[in-house]
């Protein structure tokens, strides 16, 4: 059996709100799944910070480390690399450097900072025949897959409305949407297909935001604005998806999730509560108006099947479970010459939706998707 040479790119340097340097410790675990899979050899890690490199080697079992990720890519000729930086402003240069060596890529979300950048990445991957997967782990985790199958089986009837909330902590509003809300936007597409339009209102301290309110957040995920975001997306068949984020509603995202409201009932998914081991999701089979669908019945959902050739998992930590599934699927996508389950185009679509919110708000009208203007609306 062929073994794939894997690597990881860290990006220590910026400090998050807890005072930690954003290295491998503060990433979302994109560097961790390879050591548990017999199909991969964890070859090398790269980070300009010496302590981060040492830590990265220790926790991944990598054979070598580099201070410059470009040197790692040129020297090691990797088959797959994880771009672990939480700073989306750095993603394009790292991804394009990997693509230039023919290396497949697993990249953190958000995909990148604007649609022009996303277009360049998609084009480069297509031209090089390289596959890219975005870390939208929900597409690989059983509660969300089970809910999708329940919807297709008609267990809640025809889909009418989707209601999404984000973490709504100190980042609530625009920063929350681009950082964590992309998971909810991606799930909307998973359940309802590509959106056709967006209508939105973004405010700060009770007034409509302007471009003068834009700022770059700590994670460097591009320009954001507002402490409250309300958006509606239109999908085929008249399905409407609502997304709301209001600052300082919660410390730990109790509402973060998506509720599917159908003609015969509803399914409620929560990003934290539904990812435990075993996972749980809530369903109402009540025939009523969707928003009054309760009470909910709690369904236990088993963990997703383990990846073939995996060391038995020593943790049920959801992102790691999703990452393990994602890198295995990325490897199979490369072999089978198909798109990964969470592809570069899927990542670009989440940006279409997130940035479409600002374009709709600033133009004070409903905006068609995908967006014609590929620049960032807040620039």
């Amino acid at each position: 059996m062929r073994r794939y040479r894997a690597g990881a790119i860290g990006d220590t340097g910026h400090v998050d709100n807890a005072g930690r340097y954003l290295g491998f410790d503060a990433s979302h675990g994109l560097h961790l799944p390879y050591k548990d899979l017999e199909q991969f050899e964890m070859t090398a890690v790269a980070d300009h910070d010496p302590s981060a490199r040492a830590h990265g080697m220790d926790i991944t079992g990598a054979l070598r480390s580099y201070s410059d990720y470009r040197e790692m890519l040129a020297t090691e000729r990797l088959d797959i690399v994880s771009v672990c930086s939480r700073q989306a402003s750095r993603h394009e240069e790292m991804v394009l450097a990997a693509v230039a060596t023919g290396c497949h890529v697993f990249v953190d979300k958000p995909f990148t900072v604007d649609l022009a950048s996303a277009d360049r990445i998609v084009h480069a991957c297509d031209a090089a025949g390289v596959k890219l997967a975005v870390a939208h782990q929900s597409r690989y985790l059983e509660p969300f897959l089970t809910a999708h199958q329940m919807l297709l089986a008609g267990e809640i009837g025809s889909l009418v409305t989707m209601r999404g909330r984000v973490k709504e902590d100190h980042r609530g509003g625009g920063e929350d949407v681009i950082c964590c809300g992309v998971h909810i936007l991606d799930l909307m597409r998973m359940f309802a297909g590509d959106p056709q339009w967006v209508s939105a209102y973004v405010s700060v301290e009770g007034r409509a935001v302007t471009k003068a309110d834009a700022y770059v957040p700590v994670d460097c995920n591009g320009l954001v604005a507002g402490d409250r975001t309300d958006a509606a997306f239109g999908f085929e068949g008249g399905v409407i998806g609502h997304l709301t984020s209001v600052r300082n509603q919660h410390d730990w995202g109790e509402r973060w999730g998506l509720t599917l409201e159908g003609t015969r009932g509803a399914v409620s998914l929560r990003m934290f509560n539904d990812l435990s081991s075993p996972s749980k999701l809530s369903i109402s089979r009540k025939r009523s108006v969707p928003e009054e669908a309760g009470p909910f019945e709690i369904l236990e959902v088993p963990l997703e099947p383990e990846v073939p050739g995996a060391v038995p998992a020593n943790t049920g930590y959801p992102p790691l479970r999703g990452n393990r599934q994602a890198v295995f699927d990325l490897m199979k996508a490369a072999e089978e010459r198909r798109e990964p389950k969470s592809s570069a185009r899927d990542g670009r679509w989440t940006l279409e939706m997130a940035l479409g919110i600002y374009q709709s708000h600033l133009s004070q009208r409903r905006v068609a998707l995908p967006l014609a203007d590929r620049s960032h609306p807040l620039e």
Side-chain angles (χ1 to χ4, degrees), residues 1-5 34 37-41 79-80 104-106 131-133 140 307-309 323-341:
M1 181 183 66
R2 178 186 174 185
R3 297 192 77 200
Y4 289 77
R5 295 165 59 82
Y34 304 106
L37 299 174
E38 66 180 23
Q39 297 91 346
F40 296 94
E41 171 195 87
D79 297 302
I80 181 172
H104 305 294
V105 179
F106 183 39
K131 303 301 179 182
L132 182 147
Y140 303 91
V307 170
N323 292 342
R324 189 182 294 115
Q325 298 282 337
V327 297
F328 181 78
D329 175 71
L330 178 56
M331 177 194 76
K332 298 301 291 182
E335 292 177 348
E336 298 166 5
R337 299 185 180 182
R338 60 167 172 82
E339 287 289 271
K341 292 180 181 178

Side-chain angles (χ1 to χ4, degrees), residues 71-275:
E71 181 184 0
M72 178 184 73
L73 292 168
T75 303
E76 298 290 354
R77 308 300 294 181
L78 301 172
D79 297 302
I80 181 172
V81 68
S82 288
V83 174
C84 303
S85 177
R86 294 182 63 170
Q87 303 163 48
S89 60
R90 300 270 284 152
H91 286 175
E92 182 180 0
E93 62 183 274
M94 293 174 173
V95 169
L96 293 184
V99 170
T101 68
C103 182
H104 305 294
V105 179
F106 183 39
V107 62
D108 204 358
K109 56 78 198 167
F111 181 35
T112 184
V113 294
D114 60 50
L115 292 170
S117 173
D119 290 340
R120 290 190 291 268
I121 293 174
V122 170
H123 176 75
C125 289
D126 288 347
V130 162
K131 303 301 179 182
L132 182 147
V134 181
H136 293 148
Q137 291 95 344
S138 303
R139 283 186 176 256
Y140 303 91
L141 295 175
E142 197 58 47
F144 305 96
L145 300 177
T146 299
H148 191 224
Q149 289 303 313
M150 293 168 67
L151 179 64
L152 293 177
E155 292 197 36
I156 62 169
S158 299
L159 187 61
V160 176
T161 304
M162 299 178 287
R163 300 186 185 276
R165 301 295 289 261
V166 199
K167 277 191 175 179
E168 300 186 278
D169 53 16
H170 62 279
R171 297 167 294 186
E175 185 176 348
D176 197 20
V177 169
I178 197 64
C179 178
C180 304
V182 289
H183 285 296
I184 304 303
L185 298 176
D186 184 62
L187 282 173
M188 285 186 182
R189 285 189 58 247
M190 175 176 163
F191 290 118
D194 296 339
Q196 300 171 345
W197 54 263
V198 56
S199 180
Y201 182 76
V202 186
S203 59
V204 59
E205 298 179 349
R207 62 171 176 82
V209 302
T210 68
K211 291 186 178 183
D213 295 304
Y215 66 96
V216 177
V218 172
D219 281 350
C220 298
N221 290 333
L223 290 169
V224 299
D227 59 19
R228 174 167 181 159
T229 298
D230 293 278
F233 298 91
F235 297 85
E236 186 176 354
V239 176
I240 304 296
H242 299 275
L243 184 73
T244 298
S245 176
V246 183
R247 185 166 297 171
N248 292 327
Q249 297 298 296
H250 301 279
D251 292 330
W252 192 235
E254 292 92 338
R255 285 179 179 167
W256 188 23
L258 184 67
T259 299
L260 308 174
E261 299 172 348
T263 54
R264 296 174 51 206
V267 171
S268 178
L269 294 150
R270 290 293 171 265
M271 301 298 287
F272 288 126
N273 298 340
D274 294 341
L275 298 181

Side-chain angles (χ1 to χ4, degrees), residues 21 46 54 68 100 194 196 229 238 267 281 358 371 375:
Y21 284 90
D68 187 332
D194 296 339
Q196 300 171 345
T229 298
V267 171
L281 58 84
Y358 294 118
L371 298 175
S375 62

